[in-house]
Amino acid sequence: MNFIKGWYVIYTKSRYEKKTAQVLTEQNFKVYLPLNKTISQWSDRKKKVEKPLFSSYVFIYLETIKDYLRALAIDGVVVFIKFGDRLVRVLDEEINRIKLFLNEFSEVELRGSLEIKVGEKKKITSGPFENYECEIIKIDNKEKICVRIESLKHSILAEMHSYHLI
């Protein structure tokens, strides 16, 4: 395997993302678990909770092939995400974009790229994604911005006012 250091994606056991990220961190790995702040509704109350943005995904920065093998042995790690026979490597810029996006917006909605309809292309004029191209999607009569994170094969959606677009 031709290994390049960088960010990779681990697939975890179901609902095991936080625990896996914690154990990896304790083992001195650099880990990123994007958490989405949402409001959960129970029959008697509402509560703000942080849920993983990407179900069963944890991002890990690997320096060497030894790190890869060591991470595979951690409880909760099922497999590294691959497309074909190649490990998915996520660019630093994409990790930073996800971080900025989650800092700017709450209750972010994640859609698989197959669900995204091709829409009008715009440019964002302010915020952490200033000057980025995006697609507009209508969902429940609300305008949503779609910022594609190509290497993850997902798109991130958030509500944004039209005056932020040209």
Side-chain angles (χ1 to χ4, degrees):
M1 178 190 315
N2 191 7
F3 186 80
I4 301 170
K5 72 177 178 177
W7 287 100
Y8 291 88
V9 186
I10 289 175
Y11 187 81
T12 68
K13 293 178 185 177
S14 180
R15 299 181 179 264
Y16 222 73
E17 304 92 345
K18 289 180 181 179
K19 180 67 175 166
T20 302
Q22 177 187 345
V23 172
L24 287 165
T25 300
E26 289 168 359
Q27 295 293 319
N28 297 317
F29 285 103
K30 184 176 176 183
V31 174
Y32 177 53
L33 176 61
L35 297 173
N36 186 21
K37 297 174 186 89
T38 62
I39 297 175
S40 288
Q41 174 73 50
W42 287 275
S43 60
D44 62 336
R45 62 195 156 100
K46 290 182 181 181
K47 183 179 179 181
K48 268 192 174 179
V49 294
E50 288 188 326
K51 295 181 180 178
L53 180 62
F54 300 98
S55 180
S56 295
Y57 280 16
V58 173
F59 298 94
I60 183 171
Y61 192 89
L62 300 176
E63 299 271 343
T64 66
I65 194 72
K66 274 183 161 180
D67 288 342
Y68 165 78
L69 296 171
R70 205 164 52 95
L72 274 175
I74 301 292
D75 186 38
V77 174
V78 175
V79 68
F80 276 81
I81 300 294
K82 295 180 180 180
F83 289 137
D85 61 348
R86 297 181 59 104
L87 289 174
V88 171
R89 192 166 70 82
V90 182
L91 300 175
D92 289 346
E93 142 188 336
E94 292 172 324
I95 293 292
N96 291 335
R97 210 181 284 177
I98 293 168
K99 288 177 181 178
L100 286 168
F101 198 87
L102 289 174
N103 285 336
E104 182 81 10
F105 302 104
S106 61
E107 297 191 49
V108 173
E109 180 182 342
L110 185 68
R111 297 271 175 131
S113 59
L114 294 177
E115 295 180 48
I116 302 298
K117 304 267 191 251
V118 176
E120 187 179 17
K121 294 194 187 253
K122 294 284 188 176
K123 192 179 230 182
I124 301 171
T125 60
S126 63
F129 292 97
E130 186 174 350
N131 296 322
Y132 280 98
E133 295 287 323
C134 63
E135 291 181 24
I136 303 301
I137 298 174
K138 292 275 189 183
I139 300 174
D140 298 329
N141 294 321
K142 292 182 181 178
E143 287 187 345
K144 299 274 183 167
I145 290 183
C146 172
V147 180
R148 292 197 184 277
I149 310 289
E150 238 358 272
S151 66
L152 299 178
K153 302 299 183 213
H154 281 79
S155 300
I156 297 176
L157 303 175
E159 204 169 303
M160 180 177 273
H161 296 286
S162 59
Y163 60 80
H164 290 291
L165 306 170
I166 55 170

